[in-house]
Structure formats: C-alpha cells, structure tokens
DNA sequence: TATAAAAGTTAGATTAATCTAACAAATATT
DNA sequence: AATATTTGTTAGATTAATCTAACTTTTATA
C-alpha cells in the first residue's frame, strides 16, 4: 500500500516524464520544485521509492519510474481525471476549480469506486482540460499534440487541450468563451512578437499573444 | 484546519455522544477502543483537541465536545452520510460496501463539493442505513427511535434504520430482502428467548432472534 | 582544464501520530 | 474502610515526512 505522499511523488514523476517527450527521466531538484518540497526531502523519498522498486535511480543520477511505478502513477492519474470529469460534468464545477479537489479525491482507495465512477460517467475519454483518461488496464490514447503557435495564417483548428492549467489561463479562456472543441481560425501571424490574429468560433477577430498560443493544444482541421 | 486524525476523533466523540442519550460524555478507553488506538494515544490527542478548544476535559475526567467540536463533528458526519448516499444511489454500491469508502471521502476538504453533492442527490434526508443527514447549517432531524424488539404481537411497523451496521448484519438483511421502508408485522413474541415470529413485507412468516430485533429501528404503524 | 555554478546528498532536528511499560487515580467489592 | 479492579496518564521510543545547514558531485564556463 502506498502512502498519500508516495502517490504524489509517483504522479509527479509521471507528469514530468510527459513533459519532456524525449527524456522521461527527472532530476531531484526538478521533482522537488514540482512538489513544493526541498531537494533534501525528495532525496529521502527517492530512497524509499527505490526500496519499494517504484523508481530506478542511483546517487547523483537521473530518476526513472519502473514499470510498477508507472503503473501506479497512471492509476492515480486515471482517478484524478475521472474525478475532474465528475466535478465538471455532474457537480457544475468550473474548469479552474476541479483540479484542487481532484488532488484530494485521487487518493481514495477503492478499485470498485473508480470503475463504477467511470461507468457512471459513461466511459469518458478526455477530462475537462482535454487530457486523455487512462483506462482500467492502463492504456491511454496518445494524441498528437499541436500547439496553436505552430499553425500558419489560413489554418483552422479545434481546441484539443490546455497545456497550461493555471487558474489565470483557464479563467482567461472562459472569458474568451474558449472550451474544448472551440474552432479557431488563424487570420494572421505577427512575426514581430509571435502573436496571432485569430477568429474564435466565428466571432469578432482578435489578437492573442505568443504565450497564449503556446499554452493551447489544438487539432488542425482540413 | 483539522488533520485527518483529529477529524476522526471528533466524529468518534459525536457518535459516542449519540450512543448514550442521557450522558453525551465519553471516557478515554471507550474512545480509544472505538477508534482502534491505545488509551495512551487517545490521552495525547485529547490534550491537543483541548488546546484547540474542540473538547472540554480535565485529567481523569469525562470528555465532552465543545460547540465548535460538535459543529465540526456534524460537518464530517454530513459528508459521510452524503457520500454513502451517493455511492448507494448513483454508483450501485451495496448497503454494506458504502461505509468503508465513505470513511475516506468524508475527509475531502471543499465546502463547495459537499453542497453541490447534496444538490446533485436532491437533498436527501436519510442515508442508505436510514440515519439522518445533517443539513449545511448543522440541523439534523431527531427521530424517535423504536427498536423492533419493543413491539408487541399484532403490531405493524416500517423499517426506519439499522442500529448495527456490521457487514454481517447488513448482508443478512439483504438476504431477507429487508431494506429501509420494508413493512414488518409481528405475529408472535416468544417470551422464552425474546425471538419474534414475523411477516416480512407480506411474505412467508419466519422467526428472527432477539439480537436481530434489537439491531433494527422501526417506525410503528397504526 | 581549472574553477565557478548548479544539482544532489547527508546529518541532525522537528512534528504528528502512534506504541509499550510503568505509574496514578477513581471506582467497585468484599 | 481496605483492597482490588478498572480507568486514565506519563515517560520514553518509533515512524513518516518534512526542514536547514553543511557538504559532495556533476556540469558548465571562462
């Protein structure tokens, strides 16, 4: 049985492994920063996780999840995203409110609960932020991720997921009435600062910053 | 902010206060036994709870919840019973499965979650075991509790709640197809051993033990 | 390549919750 | 009332997760 804290470390390592496609390994400081603890604390926990065969790592080396570690991490991610979906769809939580509560709910231990919840939600494939929800067997659709910033003038796309899940960004999206599935047309790319002039769901054209365009995953439409 | 453990102590004290109507105060050993810890541990925690003004107690004296302590305890009970209702009604958990998971869910911190959950469940008044669910303001219907064992031959009643919530008893009830609201008619009281000869929902008459009759709360019907 | 900077580790301390063993107080019994 | 039993407390230790401060290793840079 994993402790609440151990689970958080595994989830963090999994998330970090997603962040840098090429290299799924993480560093102690990186991990500590992600979890909001000091590096010394992370080192200690790493030893424990290694003892339990959840990570491979040696002193001053990189950290990598073992198969078991990854399996556990994915199970937690699955719970997190199912709960987010529940909060958003059934309890009318807003986009930016779901995360904090799901952080707690993801640690509830009950295999039956997770599976029943999934069934109750009618086997959703994506959470409210557009991220894929792992299946009970650990499978997880890998989606080609295109940033809005990668598109060119004339392209049209549909919002697929948010890269930045900060409250500030999510609330800004809500204000712009952008949600998963919203259509965006790139009218012009401003080379000077990388900002885009876009049409959102056929509305009045407006400008969005490069930072904005790099925080949104989209699916290019024909 | 209360810790997970502190919350459990408050809930235990509240439950114990319900158990003995007349005297709502509890003893150290009683409380330790209820929580499955050693008396020494309970004493330590008591000091902490006193420090936080959640209980009144002095050395070798009885333990009593303060108003704040009671308010907190009721809030936890409210969450517990709402979650039990959710599991039972929405996720098809059985009577005897809900408790264990609700024990975990009751510690999730989010006022919004509780209130939204209550709304989602359409403001239920009783949980699956027939116990009243406290309202957001702490109000809780106090129901006159009659034991099945108190009735006489010829009486008819409707099952109101279970006193014993052990898995064994709940599964036995399920086997007998007894649930909240089931009608029971007392055909005969066997003075020899206190057992009852009863008709359950108009079915074949059968005998139930005194222990059984003392584990079920009912509402007498005219 | 030598050194400075960054990254990571160790040692020692702290806090919360728990335990055991020994002791003290209150209650019950003869 | 004296004593035995039950009930409750204290002291000291343990474990998990965290910290700070000092130290070590690796990596980057002049």
């Amino acid at each position: 049985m994993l402790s609440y804290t151990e689970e958080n470390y595994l989830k963090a390592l999994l998330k970090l492994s997603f962040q840098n496609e090429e290299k799924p390994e993480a560093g102690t400081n990186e991990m500590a920063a992600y979890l909001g603890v000091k590096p010394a604390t992370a080192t200690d926990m790493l030893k424990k996780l290694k003892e339990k065969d959840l990570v491979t790592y040696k002193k001053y080396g990189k950290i990598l999840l073992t198969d078991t570690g990854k399996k556990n991490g994915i199970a937690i991610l699955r719970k997190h995203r199912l709960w987010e979906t529940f909060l958003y769809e059934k309890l009318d939580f807003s986009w930016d409110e779901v995360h904090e509560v799901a952080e707690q709910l993801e640690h509830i231990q009950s295999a039956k609960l997770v599976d029943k919840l999934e069934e109750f939600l009618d086997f959703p494939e994506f959470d409210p932020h557009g991220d894929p929800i792992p299946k009970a067997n650990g499978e997880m659709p890998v989606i080609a991720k295109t940033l809005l910033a990668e598109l060119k003038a004339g392209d049209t796309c549909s919002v697929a997921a948010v890269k930045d899940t900060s409250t500030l960004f999510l609330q800004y999206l809500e204000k712009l009435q952008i949600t998963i599935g919203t259509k965006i047309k790139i009218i012009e790319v401003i080379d000077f600062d990388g900002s885009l002039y876009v049409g959102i769901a056929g509305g009045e054209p407006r400008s969005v910053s490069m930072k904005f365009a790099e925080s949104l995953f989209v699916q290019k439409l024909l």
Side-chain angles (χ1 to χ4, degrees), chain A:
Chain A
M1 184 64 75
L2 300 174
S3 74
Y4 189 105
T5 311
E6 286 167 339
E7 290 196 342
N8 278 334
Y9 278 82
L10 291 184
K11 193 185 55 164
L13 285 170
L14 190 70
K15 290 276 202 79
L16 288 173
S17 83
F18 291 157
Q19 237 162 61
N20 275 356
E21 285 303 300
E22 314 307 301
K23 27 181 168 174
E25 75 272 10
T28 304
N29 285 358
E30 190 185 6
M31 186 172 135
Y34 189 89
L35 286 162
V37 300
K38 300 291 163 182
T41 310
T43 300
D44 281 349
M45 182 54 75
L46 243 23
K47 287 180 192 162
K48 203 200 288 188
L49 294 177
K50 187 185 173 180
E51 207 51 53
K52 293 194 174 185
D53 243 316
L54 296 163
V55 303
T56 57
Y57 124 102
K58 55 173 182 285
K59 265 215 253 183
Y60 297 104
K62 289 296 174 184
I63 310 151
L64 205 56
L65 286 170
T66 61
D67 280 354
T68 318
K70 194 170 172 182
K71 212 184 79 201
N72 278 281
I74 287 177
I76 300 157
L77 201 61
R78 168 172 157 80
K79 287 194 273 182
H80 183 95
R81 292 181 176 169
L82 281 172
W83 279 118
E84 283 199 341
T85 306
F86 170 72
L87 295 172
Y88 187 76
E89 306 230 315
K90 303 293 183 183
L91 301 194
D92 289 317
F93 274 60
S94 68
W95 232 10
D96 59 302
E97 289 172 324
V98 296
H99 184 73
E100 188 190 335
V101 182
E103 284 285 296
Q104 298 179 60
L105 286 163
E106 73 191 5
H107 298 290
I108 304 293
Q109 309 277 220
S110 164
K112 177 161 185 174
L113 175 58
V114 190
D115 295 343
K116 284 287 188 178
L117 183 65
E118 182 182 34
E119 190 187 337
F120 182 63
L121 297 171
D122 208 11
F123 300 94
E125 306 235 314
F126 300 94
D127 75 11
H129 304 115
D131 291 315
I133 300 174
K135 296 294 165 198
N137 61 12
E139 269 174 45
M140 203 168 125
V142 180
I143 309 297
K145 292 184 164 178
T146 310
L147 287 175
L148 176 61
E150 294 169 37
L151 300 195
K152 293 181 180 50
D155 286 346
T156 309
C157 64
S158 157
V159 172
V162 287
K163 184 178 182 193
D164 174 355
T165 56
S166 70
T167 300
L168 279 179
F169 185 55
L170 293 178
Q171 287 181 346
Y172 183 35
L173 288 176
E174 227 157 276
K175 191 166 138 195
L176 298 184
Q177 301 198 46
I178 292 176
T179 182
I180 304 299
T182 301
K183 304 270 183 301
I184 298 181
K185 185 183 169 88
I186 286 75
I187 300 168
E188 195 183 352
V189 178
I190 311 299
D191 289 332
F192 167 64
D193 58 5
S195 68
L196 303 178
Y197 197 57
V198 300
I200 297 167
E204 278 291 294
R206 57 164 299 145
S207 175
V208 296
S209 72
M210 180 165 85
K211 181 174 178 187
F212 181 96
E214 286 174 339
S215 303
L216 212 53
F217 287 121
V218 299
Q219 185 170 7
K220 200 173 157 183
L221 302 175
L222 301 181

